[in-house]
Amino acid sequence: MRNAGIAAITLLLAGLLIWVTFYWNPASRERVHQALNIASAPKGGDFELTSYKGPISLKQLRGKVVALYFGYTQCPDICPTSLGYLSLALSQLSPGELAEFQGLFVSVDPKRDSLQRLKDYGEYFHPAILGITGSVDEIDDVVKKYGAAYQVTQSNSQMGYIVDHSADTYLIDRQGKLRTVLPHGTAPADVLAEIRKLLNKE
Amino acid sequence: MKKVFFSLLTASIVLVNGFALAGSAADEVTVSDAYARAVPPGQPNSASFMLLSNGSAAGHAVVAAQSSVSRVTELHTHTMSEGMMKMRQVEKIEIPANGTTKLEPGGLHVMLIGLTQDLKPGDELSLTLTFEDGSSSRILVPVRMLQMMMKQDIGGAGHGKMNH
């Protein structure tokens, strides 16, 4: 009788051990959450969004080197830093080089960012930076292609909702291929060097 | 005569320090290198950065801020998680005993929400920081454009080192 009891407890513990080892995963919820937000590897690809001038597609920009960035104009720090660094890099390009370059600032906050506002915002940093946006579906498509991420977050701040977003800059070559991902905070001199690398390629 | 001189001196010290009485947090925390970020016309929000130095043996904290150019002023920070920069409001910004806390792009900042005027380089705004003991410091903060501040860094490629 006593042996049978021990055997039962042993079996129970063994079962529990197996369950813990193979099935219990307290972090799994979070992982699912992450997987939804971050695409595995950025592949890039064509897209079409809208600027104050009308539709703008990556195909239209073949022959130019493109820098792509995702953000929103109410962003007080991260976006102005990224665009500020980019503009500093662009200030070193010759007019000839600039003619072969296009910066695209994609707003992931189409609710608050009008096309006119995006025009002014981009040009404030550099005339070669165009502010564009689209419907949520269109934006999500580009975000996914480039491995970017964003999420609208409600906050207690008087700012209203906040938009969390990735802060990398994507450099696309003259053939429309994603070539370089520059992490947030990449120094202007390095941004310049990477853009020039692509400008020097056919 | 000597007495009059001292009372004048005392009066001027009190005037200069404003609310900051000796021993208060406002007295022990010094603010340096403060600036606010210039923003495009019509932009509703900006941020101010600075170095807070605490020369005392007790820890202090900024718990609130007010500015002359925004409807609301809050304390915020940034963290990078899930590949995203996440900005969040914080209750306070601590300055450790005999230590410093840096408010800088990509991290802690004083958030100016609902700007009542455009912030152009060369402008100046007034910022009041309130500390945990209720004392406060009023500072004048110049408006700067990041690009201009870093212009010298890009003169020769490869020297654009920037810590974050």
Side-chain angles (χ1 to χ4, degrees):
Chain A
M1 190 57 208
R2 207 169 146 230
N3 279 349
I6 289 170
I9 289 169
T10 309
L11 207 66
L12 200 73
L13 285 176
L16 190 69
L17 190 69
I18 288 165
W19 181 76
V20 164
T21 310
F22 293 101
Y23 298 101
W24 189 60
N25 190 351
S28 65
R29 281 174 70 93
E30 199 158 338
R31 257 176 232 156
V32 169
H33 184 58
Q34 270 194 6
L36 283 173
N37 279 306
I38 301 178
S40 45
K43 291 186 184 73
D46 282 324
F47 57 84
E48 184 175 297
L49 290 166
T50 312
S51 78
Y52 75 99
K53 289 189 271 194
I56 174 143
S57 69
L58 188 61
K59 269 198 184 125
Q60 273 169 253
L61 298 170
R62 289 289 191 274
K64 289 190 177 190
V65 171
V66 174
L68 181 69
Y69 184 84
F70 299 88
Y72 67 122
T73 69
Q74 291 207 16
C75 179
D77 177 24
I78 302 299
C79 300
T81 298
S82 299
L83 294 184
Y85 284 14
L86 177 61
S87 73
L88 207 47
L90 298 182
S91 71
Q92 302 297 306
L93 294 181
S94 70
E97 286 174 315
L98 267 178
E100 302 185 331
F101 173 86
Q102 181 65 60
L104 295 176
F105 175 80
V106 177
S107 169
V108 293
D109 188 11
K111 213 167 131 186
R112 289 189 295 208
D113 287 339
S114 68
L115 296 176
Q116 182 60 43
R117 179 173 189 82
L118 284 166
K119 170 191 190 284
D120 297 341
Y121 191 77
E123 286 173 359
Y124 173 81
F125 290 97
H126 197 281
I129 301 175
L130 182 64
I132 60 177
T133 191
S135 68
V136 171
D137 283 348
E138 289 170 332
I139 293 166
D140 287 356
D141 176 56
V142 192
V143 163
K144 221 176 274 168
K145 276 182 175 152
Y146 284 84
Y150 78 97
Q151 68 185 12
V152 173
T153 305
Q154 298 305 323
S155 75
N156 292 327
S157 164
Q158 291 296 310
M159 209 186 139
Y161 64 85
I162 285 170
V163 187
D164 302 333
H165 62 94
S166 54
D168 297 340
T169 302
Y170 305 91
L171 298 185
I172 300 163
D173 71 12
R174 296 176 193 272
Q175 283 75 42
K177 262 205 173 132
L178 171 61
R179 287 292 179 194
T180 319
V181 182
L182 303 172
H184 179 69
T186 300
D190 298 331
V191 176
L192 175 64
E194 292 298 326
I195 290 174
R196 276 231 167 95
K197 233 184 250 174
L198 295 183
L199 280 171
N200 290 334
K201 274 187 197 155
E202 275 313 300
Chain B
M1 190 57 208
K2 218 174 178 184
K3 209 174 167 188
V4 173
F5 174 75
F6 274 113
S7 52
L8 274 176
L9 189 70
T10 311
S12 63
I13 287 170
V14 169
L15 277 175
V16 167
N17 284 353
F19 310 114
L21 302 165
S24 72
D27 204 31
E28 292 173 351
V29 173
T30 54
V31 184
S32 53
D33 302 332
Y35 69 95
R37 195 194 277 276
V39 291
Q43 175 74 6
N45 310 318
S46 184
S48 174
F49 309 97
M50 66 200 74
L51 181 69
L52 298 167
S53 312
N54 180 0
S56 77
H60 289 302
V62 176
V63 296
Q66 258 187 317
S67 91
S68 57
V69 295
S70 62
R71 277 191 298 104
V72 180
T73 305
E74 294 176 347
L75 310 175
H76 281 234
T77 192
H78 274 110
T79 52
M80 176 63 114
S81 81
E82 297 172 274
M84 290 180 274
M85 275 294 193
K86 298 184 173 182
M87 185 173 72
R88 295 293 180 265
Q89 195 177 354
V90 293
E91 274 180 27
K92 58 186 171 182
I93 293 174
E94 291 183 9
I95 314 112
N98 294 309
T100 58
T101 297
K102 197 171 188 187
L103 280 60
E104 60 185 337
L108 289 164
H109 56 279
V110 174
M111 177 86 183
L112 309 170
I113 300 168
L115 292 174
T116 51
Q117 62 177 78
D118 290 339
L119 296 187
K120 298 184 295 296
D123 289 351
E124 211 169 39
L125 58 96
S126 133
L127 190 68
T128 304
L129 301 176
T130 305
F131 294 89
E132 83 285 354
D133 59 0
S135 63
S136 60
S137 291
R138 189 170 157 270
I139 53 168
L140 286 176
V141 178
V143 176
R144 297 215 176 113
M145 205 172 186
L146 182 83
Q147 295 93 293
M148 288 179 182
M149 292 169 70
M150 292 187 70
K151 201 98 197 179
Q152 72 279 10
D153 290 355
I154 198 163
H159 295 290
K161 194 174 162 288
M162 175 86 181
N163 293 318
H164 278 274

